[in-house]
Amino acid sequence: MIISRRLQSKKLIPNNIVLTGFMGTGKSTIGKDLAKKLEMEYVDTDAFIENRVNMTIKDIFEKYGEDYFRSTEKLIIEEVSHLKNKIIICGGGVVLNKDNVMNLRKNGTIILLKAQPMTIYERLKQDYSRPILVLDGKICLEKVEALLKQREEAYRSAAHVFIQTDGRQVDEISQQIIALLYEVKN
């Protein structure tokens, strides 16, 4: 059964499924669920960066700054964009670089996961590993709103498909993505 599902996935989705969107929109959770349902491997670009640099994202930002992180991220995106039939889970800022978007589009369908600022805030308010959202030692709703607004156009122009995740179950979202990919294929 597993082999059959894996073969079906390769026929249905020969290219990559690229999940992008702001922090807290569900990329990792949904990516892992899709990987299980479709018997595909997933690559989390933030985890890839942490392994490559041997530091957490938070520590990379603190020690080397955002520019260093973004240049490392760009190298990782170039590398993973050559993979086939993978689920690529991208960090929230990947789409800020047009080269990243171009590389990911060459061999993948980019799916933007979206959520309202309050939903994102509620999902992340206890997660202090997000240095770009922390103000005075805690996650700040105003920073979420400002960054979402700042990145909105980059997210829109990068994505092939948009999926709203507010108030929805992971399984429901995964099934919607699979159905959309099947429609695109046919």
Side-chain angles (χ1 to χ4, degrees):
M1 186 71 145
I2 289 174
I3 293 171
S4 145
R5 195 173 340 150
R6 189 172 297 138
L7 290 173
Q8 286 175 343
S9 294
K10 283 186 178 185
K11 282 196 169 283
L12 173 65
I13 309 158
N15 293 323
N16 297 319
I17 299 170
V18 180
L19 299 180
T20 189
F22 199 77
M23 296 168 260
T25 56
K27 297 181 304 280
S28 294
T29 304
I30 292 163
K32 290 174 186 175
D33 189 59
L34 282 170
K36 184 177 177 184
K37 282 180 172 45
L38 297 171
E39 288 297 325
M40 292 172 67
E41 292 179 34
Y42 72 89
V43 178
D44 183 321
T45 60
D46 281 350
F48 203 114
I49 292 167
E50 287 180 337
N51 288 336
R52 178 72 49 92
V53 180
N54 201 27
M55 296 175 80
T56 66
I57 302 292
K58 181 180 178 186
D59 290 343
I60 294 169
F61 267 76
E62 287 175 1
K63 187 168 183 177
Y64 299 112
E66 186 173 0
D67 288 343
Y68 174 83
F69 173 79
R70 296 292 173 208
S71 66
T72 304
E73 182 178 61
K74 182 180 178 195
L75 294 173
I76 296 302
I77 295 299
E78 286 176 23
E79 196 172 320
V80 301
S81 67
H82 294 287
L83 300 172
K84 294 220 188 260
N85 195 239
K86 303 286 188 247
I87 296 168
I88 301 175
I89 303 165
C90 295
V94 161
V95 298
L96 300 176
N97 183 309
K98 291 181 193 273
D99 290 338
N100 289 343
V101 174
M102 183 184 69
N103 281 323
L104 291 167
R105 279 178 162 260
K106 283 180 193 173
N107 195 28
T109 300
I110 300 177
I111 299 170
L112 172 63
L113 301 181
K114 297 176 67 172
Q116 294 298 314
M118 184 54 83
T119 301
I120 292 168
Y121 172 76
E122 287 298 324
R123 290 175 180 171
L124 298 179
K125 67 183 177 185
Q126 301 299 319
D127 183 352
Y128 302 105
S129 68
R130 317 282 181 150
I132 205 160
L133 296 179
V134 175
L135 182 65
D136 298 328
K138 61 182 181 177
I139 300 289
C140 176
L141 177 59
E142 292 77 19
K143 286 195 93 169
V144 170
E145 292 170 334
L147 272 174
L148 270 172
K149 186 175 177 85
Q150 178 185 355
R151 294 177 177 183
E152 186 176 355
E153 181 54 36
Y155 285 135
R156 277 190 202 286
S157 63
H160 293 102
V161 177
F162 306 88
I163 307 275
Q164 199 71 31
T165 64
D166 300 274
R168 297 179 65 202
Q169 298 297 315
V170 172
D171 181 64
E172 176 188 0
I173 296 165
S174 294
Q175 294 297 344
Q176 181 183 3
I177 291 170
I178 292 166
L180 286 168
L181 291 168
Y182 183 72
E183 286 175 21
V184 168
K185 174 91 169 132
N186 292 318

